[in-house]
Amino acid sequence: MSNGWILVVDDEPDIRALVSEILVDEGFEVEVAGTVEEAQLQRRRRRFDLVLLDIWMPDGDGISLLKDWAEQGMAYCPVIMMSGHGTVESAVEATRLGAYDFLEKPLSIAKLTLTVTRALEAERLSRENIGLKRKLARAVYPEGSSLMMGQLREQVDRIAQHDTWVLILGEQGVGKQTFARYIHDHSSRAEGPFIEVPVSAMTAAEAAAEIFGLEQGPRVRYGLLEQADGGTLFLDEVSHMDLQTQGRLLTALESQRLTRVGGTESLGIDVRIVASTQEDLRVRVTEGQFRDDFYYRLSVVPLRVPPLREHAEDIPDLLLHYVDLLNQQEGLPKRSFSQEACERLSVYPWPGNVHELRNLVQRLLILGNTPEVTLTEVEAALGAQPLALIQSSGQAAMDLTLPLREAREQFEREYFSQQLGHVDGSMTRLAERVGLERTHVYRKLRALGLEPKKTRD
């Protein structure tokens, strides 16, 4: 297996050949460019893991090119600058623009390989750190010691070993994303990216550019499908995807090639699909709202995640799990649950499933001031805000007679309104709090007609 893709940009053929030979011997795939124009073309063709960039070239300079990449949103990988007559000012400017390091010519083979290794390792550790934070935030292990959960985990472990598409079925709040991440983390693609497509937050007009990427003149935006290359693409609530995007995505995945919006070149991809839905896609197919060929391709391996009421014996384990998790994440005090409290929660129907249970535990940890959660507290918490009748201070309860989509939109609008109030308009804190990427949060707020009171990093 390749150690990654590296782009070598230098106007001297001998240096390009030497550096390429060294890197190929180290197990890397290498592409080369001798001009700024060729470098731009190569980066349009694929996402590289690292770029070695000369400063002086016939049609421009590496510093300006690095600046252009940063402005175009293409500064996603380490860049190592090279120069035979660089200055301190050049090195400082390159570092300011995001370059990882600066190598002087003539190049030392030992220093070159060491710097490349260190740059890639630093990038890997950075990604792992982000990934670990996300895993902790989203509890990527399906908790529960019941026979049902044990059998489900065994099924998921078997599924993870194959590269087939997976369709995860289940009610809202059962943890479909948790299982999607679990499949990815236990598959041969675990070292690759896990990219989420928030289908329900995208309009039909946005979906193509977001998923397939966009080319506008010299500017390139890599789409979610391209970002998932070598890993897993998770289509969250795939039932909301418009028919045109379904067809285009199916074609891209079956041919393993994509063309960005506004582009002309076909690019190779290698992606596994895991999708989720709480709706019956067969009904959507009958209604003409979902392509039958896409449905049959998705449902090769269906996985049903049961609602919490079907494995209520896992509730004590889940309570302990979320107490520990919220203590680690938010510094909330640890509290135990009395026997009576556990028994009451075990017979509650949990219409919001595991997500509702987590929210209830969070509320009890915030509001309580004793080491143990009592039955009285649980009754008060369940009576104050059961998910079946969601309401906030001064507002009416949700109208449960609404169609599912309208009810979901009403809930999401109220949910994000409340969360915005907790973070004082900070989009970074809001993204962390709700467990979504910032770009997805912006899109969701726009779709719901909400505006943050103020936006800051």
Side-chain angles (χ1 to χ4, degrees), residues 342-389:
C342 285
E343 291 174 356
R344 174 66 181 92
L345 293 173
S346 295
V347 298
Y348 178 67
W350 297 107
N353 293 295
V354 176
H355 288 183
E356 183 186 5
L357 184 143
R358 182 193 186 281
N359 292 341
L360 182 132
V361 171
Q362 183 181 36
R363 184 161 61 251
L364 290 169
L365 296 184
I366 291 172
L367 298 178
N369 55 11
T370 61
E372 186 177 71
V373 178
T374 65
L375 175 60
T376 301
E377 286 181 87
V378 166
E379 292 287 8
L382 292 177
Q385 195 178 4
L387 194 64
L389 291 172

Side-chain angles (χ1 to χ4, degrees), residues 4 17 133 162 176 191 194 208 268 331 348 350 409:
K133 288 181 178 179
H162 304 278
K176 295 186 288 293
E191 296 301 317
F194 178 92
Y348 178 67
W350 297 107
E409 183 176 331

Side-chain angles (χ1 to χ4, degrees), residues 86-358:
T87 63
V88 173
E89 290 79 7
S90 297
V92 170
E93 178 65 6
T95 303
R96 186 186 69 80
L97 291 171
Y100 175 80
D101 207 341
F102 192 99
L103 297 178
E104 291 188 74
K105 297 177 182 178
L107 297 172
S108 159
I109 294 177
K111 187 170 183 180
L112 170 66
T113 55
L114 179 62
T115 304
V116 166
T117 300
R118 285 179 173 173
L120 291 171
E121 180 66 10
E123 182 70 10
R124 183 185 66 81
L125 290 173
S126 176
R127 288 197 307 267
E128 284 186 358
N129 185 46
I130 293 171
L132 285 171
K133 288 181 178 179
R134 289 175 179 168
K135 288 178 183 180
L136 178 63
R138 289 168 177 152
V140 296
Y141 183 79
E143 297 289 336
S145 56
S146 66
L147 176 62
M148 177 178 288
M149 287 301 294
Q151 292 174 338
L152 186 59
R153 279 193 296 269
E154 289 179 6
Q155 182 183 2
V156 173
D157 286 335
R158 290 194 299 271
I159 291 172
Q161 302 313 306
H162 304 278
D163 214 32
T164 53
W165 293 15
V166 183
L167 179 62
I168 304 177
L169 310 167
E171 297 177 4
Q172 185 171 356
V174 294
K176 295 186 288 293
Q177 186 189 75
T178 295
F179 280 90
R181 286 180 173 273
Y182 187 84
I183 290 170
H184 172 76
D185 291 343
H186 290 76
S187 73
S188 60
R189 296 175 177 268
E191 296 301 317
F194 178 92
I195 302 296
E196 178 187 350
V197 182
V199 179
S200 62
M202 292 180 177
T203 66
E206 294 173 329
E210 290 290 337
I211 294 174
F212 299 98
L214 180 66
E215 292 186 18
Q216 293 177 312
R219 300 178 66 86
V220 175
R221 188 171 83 192
Y222 299 110
L224 299 175
L225 185 56
E226 199 169 350
Q227 293 175 38
D229 189 37
T232 301
L233 188 74
F234 175 49
L235 305 175
D236 189 20
E237 292 303 333
V238 69
S239 61
H240 294 275
M241 184 174 289
D242 66 279
L243 291 170
Q244 184 176 357
T245 303
Q246 291 175 34
R248 183 169 182 171
L249 182 58
L250 180 61
T251 299
L253 293 167
E254 290 189 335
S255 65
Q256 294 190 320
R257 304 197 69 81
L258 70 85
T259 302
R260 303 187 191 105
V261 175
T264 57
E265 188 168 355
S266 176
L267 309 170
I269 52 170
D270 173 25
V271 174
R272 181 186 192 174
I273 293 296
V274 178
S276 75
T277 182
Q278 58 183 308
E279 298 187 27
D280 189 337
L281 290 185
R282 293 170 299 183
V283 174
R284 302 276 289 165
V285 169
T286 302
E287 295 174 343
Q289 298 299 311
F290 206 86
R291 292 176 59 108
D292 56 355
D293 51 356
F294 193 39
Y295 165 69
Y296 292 124
R297 188 71 174 86
L298 281 173
S299 58
V300 171
V301 181
L303 175 70
R304 177 182 178 270
V305 180
L308 185 52
R309 60 183 176 275
E310 291 184 10
H311 56 110
E313 61 268 40
D314 286 323
I315 288 174
D317 288 341
L318 288 167
L319 293 173
L320 290 174
H321 167 70
Y322 284 119
V323 167
D324 288 340
L325 188 68
L326 290 165
N327 173 260
Q328 295 173 32
Q329 287 182 353
E330 303 181 16
L332 296 178
K334 286 192 174 184
R335 304 183 70 198
S336 61
F337 284 75
S338 70
Q339 182 66 30
E340 294 82 2
C342 285
E343 291 174 356
R344 174 66 181 92
L345 293 173
S346 295
V347 298
Y348 178 67
W350 297 107
N353 293 295
V354 176
H355 288 183
E356 183 186 5
L357 184 143
R358 182 193 186 281

